[in-house]
Amino acid sequence: MQYVSTRGESPPIGFLDAVLAGLAPDGGLYSPAAWPEFSKDEIAAFAGKPYAEVAAAVLAKFAGEAIPADEIRRMTADAYAGFDHAAVTPLKQLDSNLWLLELFHGPTLAFKDVAMQLLARLYEHALAAKGRTLTIVCATSGDTGGAAVEALRGRGNLRVVVLFPDGRISEVQRRFMTCAPDDNVRCLAVDGTFDDCQSIVKSLFQAQGFREAVDLSGVNSINWARIAAQVVYYFTAAVALGAPERSISFAVPTGNFGDAFAGYVASRMGLPIERIILATNGNDILARAVNDGRYAKGAVLATQSPAMDIQIASNFERLYFEAVDRQGLETARAMRAFAEAGAIDIPPKALGVIRDLFAGVGIGEAETSRTILSTLNETGEMIDPHTAVGVAAAKRIGAKSPATPLVVLSTAHPAKFPDAVEAACGRGPAMPGAARALAGKPERLDKIAADVEAVKAYVRSFAGV
Ligand SMILES: *Cc1c(COP(=O)(O)O)cnc(C)c1O
C-alpha cells in the first residue's frame, strides 16, 4: 500500500516510511492511495475474535507487504497485553440502545494508549537494523503526551519531546508525562494553547534543515498509524452489536478529529456506519463546520474537557481531501487559505459528502456537568467530562433511526479529571493504581515560550546537533 499526501505535492511513499515521516514534506497528511476493504463475510468473522486479532487484520490492510503477517500479529498481541480488561475496549450498556465504548483501559487511562502502544512497536520494527535515532516531537492537549511518554520511554533509538499548554491540562495528565525518569524524554510547558503547540510542531516539520538534522518524526494523529490503530475498535464494537447485518451509529468526543476520522475510515473499509456524531465542547469549530458549511476558527476556550480545547483540527484536512474527490491541489489551496484567513467555506458538494456521515453538536460546560451527574444517577456509571460531552451530544441528536444502536466513545477514565468529576457529582472517582502511583513522584519539565525558534534550539541541544 502506498501513501499519498493530502496536498498532492510530495511523492507517494510506503507504509513504514509514512509512519516514520509523520507529516509529508509539502505540509500535507499521508493517506492511503486507495481504501482497502473488508467483505461482509470478513467483517462477520470478527465476531468473538480477540481484539488483538482484529487489530492485526486491520493493520495488515494498511501495512500491506511492508510487514510480514506473523510479525503484525506479534506486535498487536504485545501492544494490547498490558491493557487491564480482557476485551481491551469493552462495551457497557447505558440505556436500551445507548452504549459506552470504554477506550481507557491502557496504561495512561485515555484512548490515546490504544494507538500509541501499537505505534511504539511499529517504530521499533521500522528502526531495527537501521542504526537511526529519531527525534519525536509531539504536541499534546493532555493525553497524547502521557501515552507517548509511556509507550516510548527508555527506547534506545528514540528521543521524545512533548509540548503541552502550560496550566491548561489536569495534574494527572501532566504527571503521566513529567514523572517519567527516562533520559530519552523531555517535557516542555509552552506558554500558549494547544493550537500554538501543534502549530510549532508543524513548523518544525516544514523546516527542512532542522527536520533532517534531528531526524524528526511525529506521533500526533497526523501520523497515519494512529488513525489505522483507532479504526479497530469501530469494527469490534459494531460487530458486537450486530454489524454487518445492522448499521451502527457513533458519538465521538472530538478535538483534533483523529478519532472521528478513524470512524470515517472504518466506513470506507466496509463497516455499515449510519451516523457519526461529532461531539465538541465550546470549542465547536467542527460542529459549526458540519452545520454551517464554514470552517472558521474562534478563540480557544479553557473547558473541563481540555483534551478537546482545540480550534484547528489537523485531521479535518484528511476529510476535506476525501470530500473534494482527493484533489491535492484544491486541499492545499483550502488549507493555506484557512491558515491565512482563519476561515474557509466548504464547497457545497464537499459539504454534502461530509453530511452524509457526520452530524455535529457543541456542548457547553453546564450541560457537561449535568450529564456527568445524570449518567451517574441513572446508570451508576461515573464518566469523565470528555465522555460526558459525547453522551450529551448522543442524547441531543441520536442515531438517524431509533432502532440503530448508538455507541459513545468513552475517551478517558474519570480519574484523569477528578476535580471536574467531583464538582459535577459531589464525589470523586476511585483512583486506579496507575494514577495513584504518580502522586508524590518528582516532576521534570522545562518552560518555554510559544516560539518556533526557541523550540528548535531546545530540540537541537537535546539531540546534540
Ligand atoms: C485526544 C482526546 C480527545 C479528542 O480526540 P481527537 O482524536 O483529537 O479528536 C477526546 N477525549 C480525550 C480524553 C482525549 O484525550
Side-chain angles (χ1 to χ4, degrees), residues 7 320 328-339 344-345 347:
R7 298 198 186 179
Y320 192 90
L329 296 184
E330 161 55 18
T331 307
R333 182 207 61 75
M335 294 304 133
R336 285 192 195 114
F338 176 75
I344 49 168
D345 289 310

Side-chain angles (χ1 to χ4, degrees), residues 258-325:
D259 214 5
F261 187 71
Y264 172 88
V265 174
S267 92
R268 293 299 300 257
M269 294 177 81
L271 189 67
I273 299 183
E274 185 214 52
R275 164 177 276 175
I276 297 177
I277 300 169
L278 300 176
T280 71
N281 62 26
N283 298 288
D284 60 351
I285 177 167
L286 285 166
R288 284 186 285 109
V290 174
N291 292 325
D292 311 341
R294 191 167 164 77
Y295 183 61
K297 73 176 177 197
V300 180
L301 308 172
T303 72
Q304 58 190 311
S305 49
M308 310 195 296
D309 291 350
I310 294 176
Q311 286 282 349
I312 306 174
S314 270
N315 279 286
F316 184 72
E317 177 164 346
R318 284 193 167 109
L319 180 64
Y320 192 90
F321 179 62
E322 296 304 321
V324 297
D325 292 329

Side-chain angles (χ1 to χ4, degrees), residues 110-112 141-144 173 221 226 230 252-260 286 307-308 310 315 384 386-387 411-412 417:
F111 85 91
K112 305 298 198 298
S141 56
D143 291 322
T144 301
Q173 286 181 310
S221 51
R226 287 273 310 278
Q230 291 168 4
V252 186
T254 190
N256 223 350
F257 195 60
D259 214 5
L286 285 166
M308 310 195 296
I310 294 176
N315 279 286
D384 98 288
H386 303 78
T387 304
T411 49
F417 305 94

Side-chain angles (χ1 to χ4, degrees), residues 72-441:
I72 290 180
R73 278 197 298 276
R74 195 197 57 74
M75 278 183 206
T76 58
D78 194 43
Y80 300 116
F83 279 57
D84 74 2
H85 195 291
V88 181
T89 61
L91 277 168
K92 206 169 251 175
Q93 189 161 12
L94 283 190
D95 203 339
S96 59
N97 222 3
L98 184 67
W99 306 76
L100 277 185
L101 178 60
E102 293 185 348
L103 301 176
F104 52 71
H105 289 275
T108 70
L109 311 178
F111 85 91
K112 305 298 198 298
D113 288 322
V114 178
M116 212 62 83
Q117 287 293 324
L118 186 57
L119 186 53
R121 272 92 190 156
L122 286 168
Y123 272 113
E124 200 165 52
H125 175 87
L127 289 174
K130 279 213 171 157
R132 282 166 73 178
T133 299
L134 291 190
T135 305
I136 291 171
V137 182
C138 158
T140 182
S141 56
D143 291 322
T144 301
V149 166
E150 180 57 32
L152 304 172
R153 69 195 181 84
R155 291 183 191 262
N157 40 13
L158 295 171
R159 294 178 203 97
V160 187
V161 181
V162 283
L163 277 63
F164 67 87
D166 197 8
R168 289 173 178 257
I169 65 176
S170 82
E171 180 180 351
V172 179
Q173 286 181 310
R174 190 186 69 239
R175 283 183 164 273
F176 268 119
M177 301 182 260
T178 58
C179 293
D182 309 76
D183 288 339
N184 73 328
V185 173
R186 292 285 187 281
C187 302
L188 287 180
V190 175
D191 185 13
T193 65
F194 169 76
D195 287 335
D196 294 324
C197 298
Q198 177 155 268
S199 138
I200 291 170
V201 171
K202 285 199 163 180
S203 301
L204 298 184
F205 273 98
Q206 281 170 290
Q208 203 188 344
F210 172 86
R211 177 180 177 142
E212 285 168 9
V214 305
D215 211 345
L216 188 65
S217 184
V219 297
N220 281 108
S221 51
I222 52 177
N223 192 311
W224 178 255
R226 287 273 310 278
I227 308 290
Q230 291 168 4
V231 169
V232 177
Y233 43 72
Y234 284 92
F235 277 98
T236 58
V239 167
L241 295 175
E245 295 308 324
R246 288 214 277 185
S247 295
I248 311 293
S249 285
F250 291 89
V252 186
T254 190
N256 223 350
F257 195 60
D259 214 5
F261 187 71
Y264 172 88
V265 174
S267 92
R268 293 299 300 257
M269 294 177 81
L271 189 67
I273 299 183
E274 185 214 52
R275 164 177 276 175
I276 297 177
I277 300 169
L278 300 176
T280 71
N281 62 26
N283 298 288
D284 60 351
I285 177 167
L286 285 166
R288 284 186 285 109
V290 174
N291 292 325
D292 311 341
R294 191 167 164 77
Y295 183 61
K297 73 176 177 197
V300 180
L301 308 172
T303 72
Q304 58 190 311
S305 49
M308 310 195 296
D309 291 350
I310 294 176
Q311 286 282 349
I312 306 174
S314 270
N315 279 286
F316 184 72
E317 177 164 346
R318 284 193 167 109
L319 180 64
Y320 192 90
F321 179 62
E322 296 304 321
V324 297
D325 292 329
R326 300 196 143 216
Q327 297 176 64
L329 296 184
E330 161 55 18
T331 307
R333 182 207 61 75
M335 294 304 133
R336 285 192 195 114
F338 176 75
E340 275 160 31
I344 49 168
D345 289 310
I346 303 170
K349 186 160 162 266
L351 188 59
V353 172
I354 293 171
R355 285 180 177 164
D356 273 347
L357 186 62
F358 292 103
V361 58
I363 301 294
E365 292 303 276
E367 191 171 355
T368 303
S369 304
R370 278 201 306 274
T371 305
I372 294 174
L373 178 62
S374 62
T375 304
L376 181 64
N377 289 343
E378 289 160 19
T379 72
E381 287 302 318
M382 193 178 270
I383 56 175
D384 98 288
H386 303 78
T387 304
V389 167
V391 170
K395 292 200 164 164
R396 176 103 61 91
I397 296 192
K400 282 185 194 165
S401 148
T404 306
L406 177 51
V407 177
V408 179
L409 271 52
S410 180
T411 49
H413 190 289
K416 251 184 145 165
F417 305 94
D419 298 343
V421 171
E422 183 158 3
C425 66
R427 64 183 165 96
M431 284 288 171
R436 276 201 313 272
L438 297 171
K441 277 198 187 159

Side-chain angles (χ1 to χ4, degrees), residues 4-18:
V4 296
S5 165
T6 50
R7 298 198 186 179
E9 288 167 313
S10 299
I13 59 176
F15 176 76
L16 287 174
D17 288 330

